[in-house]
Amino acid sequence: MRSTARTGPGERSTRLERRTARLLTWIVLVGAVAWGLLATAYGIVTVVGQLLRDRFTVELLAQTPLPDAASAGSARLTSGTFDSAEVTIAGLSALPRFLLTLQGSTALATTLLISATVGYFCLSVLRRRPFTKPVFQLVAVVGYALIIGTVLGQGFGGLGGMIAAGELNRDPADGFWPMATLVDLGPAATGLVLLVAAAAIHLGQRLQDDTDGLV
């Protein structure tokens, strides 16, 4: 007599969830690799192009009132100013050019690390070994890179932008462009979260090593 194994609804649902999870993991893996390649190519072209053409794109602070055309409709604009402006500058001295190039290089290196980490983690998930030592190390490196990169990258860019603003002003002390800069600490906060995630992965790795060989 033949015995027919029947698949229950629960097992079919589990299989569907596994297939869906693998599909989503592959999508994230391909997206991370493609994003890393495109961002790297764009970053290299941008940095090299700025150096070759002597055209540096900088975001500077600007406290400028809005023009009359901003309130030409039926509504009434009571107040408003521009707080920043993206400008392209030529003829900068060597120091701001060097600092702005360092900012772009730091962002490029951080992008490569993030892309590599996401891609390697996806591969580890597909191999059913997500808590491996290289994943822990890469996530920790990316966390530190985001923290250090935020401080150094934005520090380089902020100082370069301030020097560029001073070189645009006729009077550096009292000119159109304020001698100040903004620092976004969001990436550094993300780096702290990744360090916590790296600690969790390290704990998972130890638990996985302890359960290897158990039935």
Side-chain angles (χ1 to χ4, degrees), residues 1 5 23 26 28 33 72 76 92 96 107-108 110 113 116 125 127 129 142 153 183 187:
M1 296 180 63
L23 176 61
W26 274 108
V28 173
V33 173
R76 185 169 59 91
L92 290 173
L108 179 60
T110 305
L113 282 174
V125 171
R127 295 172 181 172
R129 299 283 297 181
V142 170
V183 176

Side-chain angles (χ1 to χ4, degrees), residues 22-197:
R22 287 183 64 85
L23 176 61
L24 292 176
T25 304
W26 274 108
I27 292 175
V28 173
L29 172 60
V30 174
V33 173
W35 172 69
L37 293 175
L38 291 175
T40 301
Y42 177 78
I44 293 175
V45 170
T46 301
V47 172
V48 174
Q50 287 181 341
L51 291 173
L52 293 178
R53 296 184 295 109
D54 189 23
R55 298 288 190 275
F56 288 83
T57 301
V58 188
E59 185 173 355
L60 301 179
L61 297 181
Q63 295 295 331
T64 305
L66 295 174
D68 296 336
S71 59
S74 57
R76 185 169 59 91
L77 186 65
T78 59
S79 64
T81 58
F82 289 108
D83 58 1
S84 65
E86 186 177 279
V87 297
T88 301
I89 309 174
L92 290 173
S93 61
L95 181 56
R97 293 168 60 187
F98 176 70
L99 293 172
L100 294 173
T101 302
L102 282 180
Q103 180 191 24
S105 302
T106 304
L108 179 60
T110 305
T111 300
L112 283 174
L113 282 174
I114 295 175
S115 176
T117 301
V118 174
Y120 190 89
F121 183 74
C122 290
L123 285 176
S124 300
V125 171
L126 292 173
R127 295 172 181 172
R128 298 184 180 180
R129 299 283 297 181
F131 299 113
T132 59
K133 189 174 182 179
V135 171
F136 155 71
Q137 292 174 341
L138 282 174
V139 173
V141 167
V142 170
Y144 285 116
L146 282 174
I147 296 174
I148 298 174
T150 299
V151 176
L152 293 181
Q154 295 202 30
F156 292 144
L159 182 58
M162 291 174 62
I163 298 175
E167 294 184 359
L168 285 175
N169 292 332
R170 177 177 298 179
D171 182 6
D174 186 20
F176 179 85
W177 303 102
M179 299 287 291
T181 186
L182 293 176
V183 176
D184 181 14
L185 297 179
T190 304
L192 290 175
V193 174
L194 286 178
L195 289 180
V196 175

